[in-house]
Amino acid sequence: MIPGMPGDSQVYLNGEFTRVDEAKISVLDRGFIFGDGIYEVVPVYHGKPFRMTEHMNRLDRSLQALRIPSPKSREQWLELVNELIRRSATPSCVVYLQVTRGVYKREHAFPTTEITPTVFGMTTEFTPPTAEQRERGIRVISIPDERWLHCEIKSVSLLGNVLARQQAAEAGVDEVIQFRDGFMTEGSSSNFWVVSAGKLLAPPKDNLILEGIRYGFMAELAEETGVPFEARRITQDEVASADEILVTSATKEVLPVLQLNGKAVGNGRPGPVYAKLRAAYDARIAAL
């Protein structure tokens, strides 16, 4: 049995669906040996994948960055996602997709002969944030960003993110906000947003952050709701004095950050910009 997962859960591996406890890969898979692969996490509401086109665009960008040939067409990816959803026990879930370069002898350079990428997919349970969680918000601490310089690739090489998330766990908070050279980057598995004088601020889309699917989505919602938006470098002092701080991810959706380094953010309550964006976010989900 695999801790935390029912043994009869269905997963997809290289063209076949099988029980999770029966799925096997080679010990020489480059994803296992080197973390040489990419992944996507797609939230599903009422049986429908959310922002699927944007997820596929990012998957393509990550594959291209690692020079891994895409093993499926757009239509085939959508067929796989829909079949995983169909086999899921609940209409609301998260679809996880992973592609590695494939199986080859252990050598750091890319294989000199053509190999077949390994494709894996599964679903996990997804419970959107409750009304109580939305009101309570999350607590975070700030830490230095010590990861590599290609965070724009959604790579399965996540040790830096794991170590960052562990700092949050050991501090008894929900997440970390990372800073590189005095400027905000992102969390261990989420994007952060700052509200100052009614304006929504985000770090620029560059190699220092993973462009979350909610990055473009939040910009859309800001335009819909009349919230001014700007992408630029944000200093640690600006974060510390922010009127509001928001966090976004596939599973957190959008939530307010109400405590930073043990101190209240703003007045310690969810703010008006969050309320506008949250309502618009919910309307988009309801329209699926």
Side-chain angles (χ1 to χ4, degrees), residues 153-190:
I153 301 172
K154 198 167 178 66
S155 164
V156 296
S157 301
L158 288 172
L159 186 56
N161 302 66
V162 168
L163 293 174
R165 180 65 182 84
Q166 185 60 25
Q167 289 188 61
E170 291 174 358
V173 297
D174 304 291
E175 178 59 296
V176 298
I177 299 183
Q178 299 180 93
F179 292 85
R180 194 186 296 268
D181 300 326
F183 294 95
M184 184 177 83
T185 54
E186 59 187 349
S188 66
S189 59
S190 54

PDB file of all heavy atoms in Angstrom, residues 153-190:
ATOM      1  N   ILE A 153      10.264  27.169 -15.368  1.00  0.00           N
ATOM      2  CA  ILE A 153       9.996  25.816 -15.853  1.00  0.00           C
ATOM      3  C   ILE A 153       9.284  25.037 -14.741  1.00  0.00           C
ATOM      4  O   ILE A 153       9.765  24.985 -13.614  1.00  0.00           O
ATOM      5  CB  ILE A 153      11.304  25.102 -16.232  1.00  0.00           C
ATOM      6  CG1 ILE A 153      12.047  25.883 -17.318  1.00  0.00           C
ATOM      7  CG2 ILE A 153      11.010  23.675 -16.705  1.00  0.00           C
ATOM      8  CD1 ILE A 153      13.440  25.351 -17.603  1.00  0.00           C
ATOM      9  N   LYS A 154       8.163  24.438 -15.061  1.00  0.00           N
ATOM     10  CA  LYS A 154       7.442  23.661 -14.049  1.00  0.00           C
ATOM     11  C   LYS A 154       8.068  22.265 -13.991  1.00  0.00           C
ATOM     12  O   LYS A 154       7.513  21.268 -14.475  1.00  0.00           O
ATOM     13  CB  LYS A 154       5.940  23.597 -14.355  1.00  0.00           C
ATOM     14  CG  LYS A 154       5.102  23.183 -13.136  1.00  0.00           C
ATOM     15  CD  LYS A 154       3.635  23.445 -13.389  1.00  0.00           C
ATOM     16  CE  LYS A 154       2.766  23.004 -12.221  1.00  0.00           C
ATOM     17  NZ  LYS A 154       2.991  23.767 -11.000  1.00  0.00           N
ATOM     18  N   SER A 155       9.238  22.218 -13.414  1.00  0.00           N
ATOM     19  CA  SER A 155      10.059  21.013 -13.376  1.00  0.00           C
ATOM     20  C   SER A 155       9.717  20.154 -12.174  1.00  0.00           C
ATOM     21  O   SER A 155       9.322  20.663 -11.116  1.00  0.00           O
ATOM     22  CB  SER A 155      11.539  21.421 -13.318  1.00  0.00           C
ATOM     23  OG  SER A 155      12.353  20.347 -12.918  1.00  0.00           O
ATOM     24  N   VAL A 156       9.894  18.836 -12.318  1.00  0.00           N
ATOM     25  CA  VAL A 156       9.695  17.937 -11.179  1.00  0.00           C
ATOM     26  C   VAL A 156      10.878  18.012 -10.216  1.00  0.00           C
ATOM     27  O   VAL A 156      10.830  17.406  -9.142  1.00  0.00           O
ATOM     28  CB  VAL A 156       9.477  16.474 -11.631  1.00  0.00           C
ATOM     29  CG1 VAL A 156       8.200  16.356 -12.429  1.00  0.00           C
ATOM     30  CG2 VAL A 156      10.669  15.938 -12.410  1.00  0.00           C
ATOM     31  N   SER A 157      11.935  18.753 -10.562  1.00  0.00           N
ATOM     32  CA  SER A 157      13.066  18.964  -9.648  1.00  0.00           C
ATOM     33  C   SER A 157      12.657  20.009  -8.614  1.00  0.00           C
ATOM     34  O   SER A 157      12.911  21.200  -8.781  1.00  0.00           O
ATOM     35  CB  SER A 157      14.299  19.438 -10.418  1.00  0.00           C
ATOM     36  OG  SER A 157      14.677  18.521 -11.403  1.00  0.00           O
ATOM     37  N   LEU A 158      12.018  19.585  -7.546  1.00  0.00           N
ATOM     38  CA  LEU A 158      11.367  20.497  -6.609  1.00  0.00           C
ATOM     39  C   LEU A 158      11.997  20.517  -5.217  1.00  0.00           C
ATOM     40  O   LEU A 158      11.354  20.943  -4.263  1.00  0.00           O
ATOM     41  CB  LEU A 158       9.880  20.130  -6.485  1.00  0.00           C
ATOM     42  CG  LEU A 158       9.004  20.461  -7.699  1.00  0.00           C
ATOM     43  CD1 LEU A 158       7.613  19.875  -7.531  1.00  0.00           C
ATOM     44  CD2 LEU A 158       8.923  21.973  -7.904  1.00  0.00           C
ATOM     45  N   LEU A 159      13.252  20.078  -5.097  1.00  0.00           N
ATOM     46  CA  LEU A 159      13.840  19.997  -3.761  1.00  0.00           C
ATOM     47  C   LEU A 159      13.901  21.370  -3.093  1.00  0.00           C
ATOM     48  O   LEU A 159      13.640  21.489  -1.892  1.00  0.00           O
ATOM     49  CB  LEU A 159      15.239  19.378  -3.847  1.00  0.00           C
ATOM     50  CG  LEU A 159      15.919  19.107  -2.491  1.00  0.00           C
ATOM     51  CD1 LEU A 159      15.046  18.225  -1.610  1.00  0.00           C
ATOM     52  CD2 LEU A 159      17.289  18.461  -2.707  1.00  0.00           C
ATOM     53  N   GLY A 160      14.239  22.423  -3.862  1.00  0.00           N
ATOM     54  CA  GLY A 160      14.264  23.757  -3.269  1.00  0.00           C
ATOM     55  C   GLY A 160      12.908  24.165  -2.726  1.00  0.00           C
ATOM     56  O   GLY A 160      12.805  24.759  -1.646  1.00  0.00           O
ATOM     57  N   ASN A 161      11.840  23.818  -3.450  1.00  0.00           N
ATOM     58  CA  ASN A 161      10.488  24.131  -2.994  1.00  0.00           C
ATOM     59  C   ASN A 161      10.112  23.305  -1.774  1.00  0.00           C
ATOM     60  O   ASN A 161       9.453  23.788  -0.847  1.00  0.00           O
ATOM     61  CB  ASN A 161       9.487  23.872  -4.123  1.00  0.00           C
ATOM     62  CG  ASN A 161       9.793  24.686  -5.362  1.00  0.00           C
ATOM     63  OD1 ASN A 161      10.811  24.472  -6.004  1.00  0.00           O
ATOM     64  ND2 ASN A 161       8.928  25.628  -5.699  1.00  0.00           N
ATOM     65  N   VAL A 162      10.545  22.043  -1.776  1.00  0.00           N
ATOM     66  CA  VAL A 162      10.264  21.165  -0.633  1.00  0.00           C
ATOM     67  C   VAL A 162      10.916  21.720   0.634  1.00  0.00           C
ATOM     68  O   VAL A 162      10.293  21.775   1.709  1.00  0.00           O
ATOM     69  CB  VAL A 162      10.753  19.736  -0.926  1.00  0.00           C
ATOM     70  CG1 VAL A 162      10.734  18.879   0.336  1.00  0.00           C
ATOM     71  CG2 VAL A 162       9.893  19.090  -2.016  1.00  0.00           C
ATOM     72  N   LEU A 163      12.181  22.141   0.525  1.00  0.00           N
ATOM     73  CA  LEU A 163      12.883  22.675   1.691  1.00  0.00           C
ATOM     74  C   LEU A 163      12.248  23.974   2.168  1.00  0.00           C
ATOM     75  O   LEU A 163      12.167  24.234   3.378  1.00  0.00           O
ATOM     76  CB  LEU A 163      14.365  22.887   1.354  1.00  0.00           C
ATOM     77  CG  LEU A 163      15.164  21.607   1.104  1.00  0.00           C
ATOM     78  CD1 LEU A 163      16.581  21.954   0.633  1.00  0.00           C
ATOM     79  CD2 LEU A 163      15.228  20.735   2.356  1.00  0.00           C
ATOM     80  N   ALA A 164      11.767  24.796   1.220  1.00  0.00           N
ATOM     81  CA  ALA A 164      11.086  26.033   1.596  1.00  0.00           C
ATOM     82  C   ALA A 164       9.783  25.732   2.321  1.00  0.00           C
ATOM     83  O   ALA A 164       9.468  26.332   3.364  1.00  0.00           O
ATOM     84  CB  ALA A 164      10.823  26.882   0.354  1.00  0.00           C
ATOM     85  N   ARG A 165       9.014  24.785   1.782  1.00  0.00           N
ATOM     86  CA  ARG A 165       7.740  24.422   2.426  1.00  0.00           C
ATOM     87  C   ARG A 165       7.970  23.830   3.801  1.00  0.00           C
ATOM     88  O   ARG A 165       7.167  24.040   4.726  1.00  0.00           O
ATOM     89  CB  ARG A 165       6.990  23.431   1.532  1.00  0.00           C
ATOM     90  CG  ARG A 165       5.643  22.975   2.106  1.00  0.00           C
ATOM     91  CD  ARG A 165       4.657  24.125   2.203  1.00  0.00           C
ATOM     92  NE  ARG A 165       3.395  23.698   2.780  1.00  0.00           N
ATOM     93  CZ  ARG A 165       3.152  23.609   4.095  1.00  0.00           C
ATOM     94  NH1 ARG A 165       4.096  23.948   4.972  1.00  0.00           N
ATOM     95  NH2 ARG A 165       1.972  23.211   4.531  1.00  0.00           N
ATOM     96  N   GLN A 166       9.077  23.095   3.981  1.00  0.00           N
ATOM     97  CA  GLN A 166       9.377  22.521   5.290  1.00  0.00           C
ATOM     98  C   GLN A 166       9.655  23.612   6.322  1.00  0.00           C
ATOM     99  O   GLN A 166       9.313  23.460   7.495  1.00  0.00           O
ATOM    100  CB  GLN A 166      10.567  21.560   5.198  1.00  0.00           C
ATOM    101  CG  GLN A 166      10.879  20.824   6.492  1.00  0.00           C
ATOM    102  CD  GLN A 166       9.728  19.968   7.003  1.00  0.00           C
ATOM    103  OE1 GLN A 166       8.873  19.545   6.227  1.00  0.00           O
ATOM    104  NE2 GLN A 166       9.698  19.718   8.297  1.00  0.00           N
ATOM    105  N   GLN A 167      10.253  24.715   5.876  1.00  0.00           N
ATOM    106  CA  GLN A 167      10.465  25.834   6.807  1.00  0.00           C
ATOM    107  C   GLN A 167       9.132  26.369   7.313  1.00  0.00           C
ATOM    108  O   GLN A 167       9.004  26.716   8.493  1.00  0.00           O
ATOM    109  CB  GLN A 167      11.256  26.947   6.124  1.00  0.00           C
ATOM    110  CG  GLN A 167      12.720  26.611   5.879  1.00  0.00           C
ATOM    111  CD  GLN A 167      13.511  27.810   5.391  1.00  0.00           C
ATOM    112  OE1 GLN A 167      13.620  28.819   6.082  1.00  0.00           O
ATOM    113  NE2 GLN A 167      14.057  27.698   4.191  1.00  0.00           N
ATOM    114  N   ALA A 168       8.145  26.433   6.418  1.00  0.00           N
ATOM    115  CA  ALA A 168       6.811  26.870   6.840  1.00  0.00           C
ATOM    116  C   ALA A 168       6.228  25.884   7.840  1.00  0.00           C
ATOM    117  O   ALA A 168       5.667  26.283   8.876  1.00  0.00           O
ATOM    118  CB  ALA A 168       5.895  27.011   5.631  1.00  0.00           C
ATOM    119  N   ALA A 169       6.353  24.586   7.543  1.00  0.00           N
ATOM    120  CA  ALA A 169       5.807  23.558   8.435  1.00  0.00           C
ATOM    121  C   ALA A 169       6.438  23.649   9.820  1.00  0.00           C
ATOM    122  O   ALA A 169       5.751  23.564  10.847  1.00  0.00           O
ATOM    123  CB  ALA A 169       6.020  22.177   7.832  1.00  0.00           C
ATOM    124  N   GLU A 170       7.745  23.812   9.853  1.00  0.00           N
ATOM    125  CA  GLU A 170       8.439  23.853  11.144  1.00  0.00           C
ATOM    126  C   GLU A 170       8.154  25.144  11.902  1.00  0.00           C
ATOM    127  O   GLU A 170       8.250  25.176  13.136  1.00  0.00           O
ATOM    128  CB  GLU A 170       9.937  23.675  10.920  1.00  0.00           C
ATOM    129  CG  GLU A 170      10.284  22.265  10.441  1.00  0.00           C
ATOM    130  CD  GLU A 170      11.746  22.087  10.071  1.00  0.00           C
ATOM    131  OE1 GLU A 170      12.514  23.074  10.147  1.00  0.00           O
ATOM    132  OE2 GLU A 170      12.122  20.947   9.705  1.00  0.00           O
ATOM    133  N   ALA A 171       7.779  26.217  11.196  1.00  0.00           N
ATOM    134  CA  ALA A 171       7.426  27.474  11.848  1.00  0.00           C
ATOM    135  C   ALA A 171       5.956  27.509  12.254  1.00  0.00           C
ATOM    136  O   ALA A 171       5.513  28.469  12.889  1.00  0.00           O
ATOM    137  CB  ALA A 171       7.731  28.649  10.920  1.00  0.00           C
ATOM    138  N   GLY A 172       5.195  26.473  11.868  1.00  0.00           N
ATOM    139  CA  GLY A 172       3.785  26.412  12.219  1.00  0.00           C
ATOM    140  C   GLY A 172       2.914  27.366  11.438  1.00  0.00           C
ATOM    141  O   GLY A 172       1.854  27.794  11.923  1.00  0.00           O
ATOM    142  N   VAL A 173       3.350  27.711  10.198  1.00  0.00           N
ATOM    143  CA  VAL A 173       2.552  28.595   9.345  1.00  0.00           C
ATOM    144  C   VAL A 173       2.176  27.846   8.069  1.00  0.00           C
ATOM    145  O   VAL A 173       2.542  26.691   7.879  1.00  0.00           O
ATOM    146  CB  VAL A 173       3.314  29.899   9.016  1.00  0.00           C
ATOM    147  CG1 VAL A 173       3.587  30.686  10.285  1.00  0.00           C
ATOM    148  CG2 VAL A 173       4.619  29.611   8.260  1.00  0.00           C
ATOM    149  N   ASP A 174       1.445  28.527   7.195  1.00  0.00           N
ATOM    150  CA  ASP A 174       0.882  27.860   6.022  1.00  0.00           C
ATOM    151  C   ASP A 174       1.779  27.888   4.795  1.00  0.00           C
ATOM    152  O   ASP A 174       1.697  27.011   3.939  1.00  0.00           O
ATOM    153  CB  ASP A 174      -0.467  28.506   5.667  1.00  0.00           C
ATOM    154  CG  ASP A 174      -1.434  28.483   6.838  1.00  0.00           C
ATOM    155  OD1 ASP A 174      -1.886  27.388   7.203  1.00  0.00           O
ATOM    156  OD2 ASP A 174      -1.720  29.566   7.388  1.00  0.00           O
ATOM    157  N   GLU A 175       2.624  28.913   4.678  1.00  0.00           N
ATOM    158  CA  GLU A 175       3.411  29.076   3.456  1.00  0.00           C
ATOM    159  C   GLU A 175       4.557  30.044   3.740  1.00  0.00           C
ATOM    160  O   GLU A 175       4.598  30.693   4.802  1.00  0.00           O
ATOM    161  CB  GLU A 175       2.485  29.584   2.330  1.00  0.00           C
ATOM    162  CG  GLU A 175       3.119  29.872   0.975  1.00  0.00           C
ATOM    163  CD  GLU A 175       3.825  28.709   0.295  1.00  0.00           C
ATOM    164  OE1 GLU A 175       4.824  28.261   0.884  1.00  0.00           O
ATOM    165  OE2 GLU A 175       3.414  28.324  -0.824  1.00  0.00           O
ATOM    166  N   VAL A 176       5.476  30.152   2.795  1.00  0.00           N
ATOM    167  CA  VAL A 176       6.564  31.120   2.865  1.00  0.00           C
ATOM    168  C   VAL A 176       6.437  32.101   1.705  1.00  0.00           C
ATOM    169  O   VAL A 176       5.920  31.758   0.643  1.00  0.00           O
ATOM    170  CB  VAL A 176       7.952  30.434   2.804  1.00  0.00           C
ATOM    171  CG1 VAL A 176       8.146  29.505   3.995  1.00  0.00           C
ATOM    172  CG2 VAL A 176       8.152  29.673   1.488  1.00  0.00           C
ATOM    173  N   ILE A 177       6.885  33.333   1.926  1.00  0.00           N
ATOM    174  CA  ILE A 177       7.107  34.282   0.832  1.00  0.00           C
ATOM    175  C   ILE A 177       8.619  34.386   0.666  1.00  0.00           C
ATOM    176  O   ILE A 177       9.325  34.722   1.614  1.00  0.00           O
ATOM    177  CB  ILE A 177       6.520  35.673   1.114  1.00  0.00           C
ATOM    178  CG1 ILE A 177       5.009  35.622   1.306  1.00  0.00           C
ATOM    179  CG2 ILE A 177       6.847  36.628  -0.032  1.00  0.00           C
ATOM    180  CD1 ILE A 177       4.371  36.994   1.528  1.00  0.00           C
ATOM    181  N   GLN A 178       9.091  34.107  -0.542  1.00  0.00           N
ATOM    182  CA  GLN A 178      10.527  34.112  -0.778  1.00  0.00           C
ATOM    183  C   GLN A 178      10.980  35.434  -1.402  1.00  0.00           C
ATOM    184  O   GLN A 178      10.247  36.055  -2.164  1.00  0.00           O
ATOM    185  CB  GLN A 178      10.907  32.941  -1.685  1.00  0.00           C
ATOM    186  CG  GLN A 178      10.556  31.595  -1.054  1.00  0.00           C
ATOM    187  CD  GLN A 178      10.916  30.431  -1.943  1.00  0.00           C
ATOM    188  OE1 GLN A 178      11.988  29.857  -1.843  1.00  0.00           O
ATOM    189  NE2 GLN A 178       9.999  30.061  -2.818  1.00  0.00           N
ATOM    190  N   PHE A 179      12.208  35.824  -1.051  1.00  0.00           N
ATOM    191  CA  PHE A 179      12.793  37.064  -1.551  1.00  0.00           C
ATOM    192  C   PHE A 179      14.187  36.778  -2.092  1.00  0.00           C
ATOM    193  O   PHE A 179      14.971  36.065  -1.469  1.00  0.00           O
ATOM    194  CB  PHE A 179      12.886  38.107  -0.429  1.00  0.00           C
ATOM    195  CG  PHE A 179      11.542  38.612   0.037  1.00  0.00           C
ATOM    196  CD1 PHE A 179      10.828  37.915   1.000  1.00  0.00           C
ATOM    197  CD2 PHE A 179      10.994  39.755  -0.509  1.00  0.00           C
ATOM    198  CE1 PHE A 179       9.593  38.371   1.423  1.00  0.00           C
ATOM    199  CE2 PHE A 179       9.753  40.213  -0.093  1.00  0.00           C
ATOM    200  CZ  PHE A 179       9.051  39.519   0.880  1.00  0.00           C
ATOM    201  N   ARG A 180      14.458  37.343  -3.265  1.00  0.00           N
ATOM    202  CA  ARG A 180      15.782  37.241  -3.867  1.00  0.00           C
ATOM    203  C   ARG A 180      16.329  38.658  -4.068  1.00  0.00           C
ATOM    204  O   ARG A 180      15.710  39.475  -4.735  1.00  0.00           O
ATOM    205  CB  ARG A 180      15.704  36.504  -5.208  1.00  0.00           C
ATOM    206  CG  ARG A 180      17.069  36.059  -5.753  1.00  0.00           C
ATOM    207  CD  ARG A 180      16.932  35.467  -7.143  1.00  0.00           C
ATOM    208  NE  ARG A 180      16.152  34.248  -7.189  1.00  0.00           N
ATOM    209  CZ  ARG A 180      16.670  33.014  -7.090  1.00  0.00           C
ATOM    210  NH1 ARG A 180      17.962  32.862  -6.908  1.00  0.00           N
ATOM    211  NH2 ARG A 180      15.879  31.957  -7.167  1.00  0.00           N
ATOM    212  N   ASP A 181      17.483  38.917  -3.463  1.00  0.00           N
ATOM    213  CA  ASP A 181      18.118  40.242  -3.562  1.00  0.00           C
ATOM    214  C   ASP A 181      17.177  41.350  -3.109  1.00  0.00           C
ATOM    215  O   ASP A 181      17.166  42.457  -3.664  1.00  0.00           O
ATOM    216  CB  ASP A 181      18.596  40.510  -4.990  1.00  0.00           C
ATOM    217  CG  ASP A 181      19.624  39.486  -5.468  1.00  0.00           C
ATOM    218  OD1 ASP A 181      20.428  39.018  -4.633  1.00  0.00           O
ATOM    219  OD2 ASP A 181      19.599  39.144  -6.667  1.00  0.00           O
ATOM    220  N   GLY A 182      16.353  41.057  -2.104  1.00  0.00           N
ATOM    221  CA  GLY A 182      15.473  42.072  -1.542  1.00  0.00           C
ATOM    222  C   GLY A 182      14.147  42.249  -2.238  1.00  0.00           C
ATOM    223  O   GLY A 182      13.355  43.120  -1.848  1.00  0.00           O
ATOM    224  N   PHE A 183      13.866  41.430  -3.276  1.00  0.00           N
ATOM    225  CA  PHE A 183      12.609  41.547  -4.010  1.00  0.00           C
ATOM    226  C   PHE A 183      11.799  40.257  -3.906  1.00  0.00           C
ATOM    227  O   PHE A 183      12.354  39.156  -3.932  1.00  0.00           O
ATOM    228  CB  PHE A 183      12.872  41.877  -5.479  1.00  0.00           C
ATOM    229  CG  PHE A 183      13.476  43.226  -5.698  1.00  0.00           C
ATOM    230  CD1 PHE A 183      14.852  43.375  -5.806  1.00  0.00           C
ATOM    231  CD2 PHE A 183      12.671  44.361  -5.779  1.00  0.00           C
ATOM    232  CE1 PHE A 183      15.422  44.622  -6.003  1.00  0.00           C
ATOM    233  CE2 PHE A 183      13.235  45.614  -5.976  1.00  0.00           C
ATOM    234  CZ  PHE A 183      14.608  45.750  -6.085  1.00  0.00           C
ATOM    235  N   MET A 184      10.470  40.388  -3.818  1.00  0.00           N
ATOM    236  CA  MET A 184       9.582  39.244  -3.682  1.00  0.00           C
ATOM    237  C   MET A 184       9.589  38.402  -4.953  1.00  0.00           C
ATOM    238  O   MET A 184       9.529  38.943  -6.064  1.00  0.00           O
ATOM    239  CB  MET A 184       8.155  39.735  -3.398  1.00  0.00           C
ATOM    240  CG  MET A 184       7.150  38.607  -3.151  1.00  0.00           C
ATOM    241  SD  MET A 184       5.495  39.206  -2.727  1.00  0.00           S
ATOM    242  CE  MET A 184       4.823  39.544  -4.359  1.00  0.00           C
ATOM    243  N   THR A 185       9.655  37.079  -4.762  1.00  0.00           N
ATOM    244  CA  THR A 185       9.501  36.167  -5.895  1.00  0.00           C
ATOM    245  C   THR A 185       8.174  35.418  -5.763  1.00  0.00           C
ATOM    246  O   THR A 185       7.168  35.850  -6.317  1.00  0.00           O
ATOM    247  CB  THR A 185      10.696  35.204  -6.006  1.00  0.00           C
ATOM    248  OG1 THR A 185      10.904  34.507  -4.760  1.00  0.00           O
ATOM    249  CG2 THR A 185      11.959  35.956  -6.381  1.00  0.00           C
ATOM    250  N   GLU A 186       8.134  34.346  -4.984  1.00  0.00           N
ATOM    251  CA  GLU A 186       6.898  33.556  -4.863  1.00  0.00           C
ATOM    252  C   GLU A 186       6.968  32.681  -3.621  1.00  0.00           C
ATOM    253  O   GLU A 186       7.917  32.750  -2.845  1.00  0.00           O
ATOM    254  CB  GLU A 186       6.708  32.693  -6.110  1.00  0.00           C
ATOM    255  CG  GLU A 186       7.848  31.725  -6.374  1.00  0.00           C
ATOM    256  CD  GLU A 186       7.714  30.998  -7.706  1.00  0.00           C
ATOM    257  OE1 GLU A 186       6.651  31.084  -8.344  1.00  0.00           O
ATOM    258  OE2 GLU A 186       8.685  30.325  -8.089  1.00  0.00           O
ATOM    259  N   GLY A 187       5.961  31.820  -3.448  1.00  0.00           N
ATOM    260  CA  GLY A 187       5.948  30.886  -2.334  1.00  0.00           C
ATOM    261  C   GLY A 187       6.605  29.577  -2.715  1.00  0.00           C
ATOM    262  O   GLY A 187       7.226  29.446  -3.773  1.00  0.00           O
ATOM    263  N   SER A 188       6.452  28.578  -1.852  1.00  0.00           N
ATOM    264  CA  SER A 188       7.001  27.262  -2.158  1.00  0.00           C
ATOM    265  C   SER A 188       6.176  26.567  -3.229  1.00  0.00           C
ATOM    266  O   SER A 188       6.701  25.779  -4.017  1.00  0.00           O
ATOM    267  CB  SER A 188       7.056  26.394  -0.897  1.00  0.00           C
ATOM    268  OG  SER A 188       5.754  26.110  -0.421  1.00  0.00           O
ATOM    269  N   SER A 189       4.878  26.870  -3.285  1.00  0.00           N
ATOM    270  CA  SER A 189       4.004  26.271  -4.301  1.00  0.00           C
ATOM    271  C   SER A 189       2.833  27.199  -4.621  1.00  0.00           C
ATOM    272  O   SER A 189       1.714  26.751  -4.831  1.00  0.00           O
ATOM    273  CB  SER A 189       3.469  24.913  -3.823  1.00  0.00           C
ATOM    274  OG  SER A 189       2.738  25.058  -2.612  1.00  0.00           O
ATOM    275  N   SER A 190       3.100  28.493  -4.646  1.00  0.00           N
ATOM    276  CA  SER A 190       2.029  29.459  -4.867  1.00  0.00           C
ATOM    277  C   SER A 190       2.620  30.786  -5.327  1.00  0.00           C
ATOM    278  O   SER A 190       3.812  31.033  -5.169  1.00  0.00           O
ATOM    279  CB  SER A 190       1.221  29.661  -3.578  1.00  0.00           C
ATOM    280  OG  SER A 190       2.081  30.008  -2.503  1.00  0.00           O
TER     281      SER A 190
END
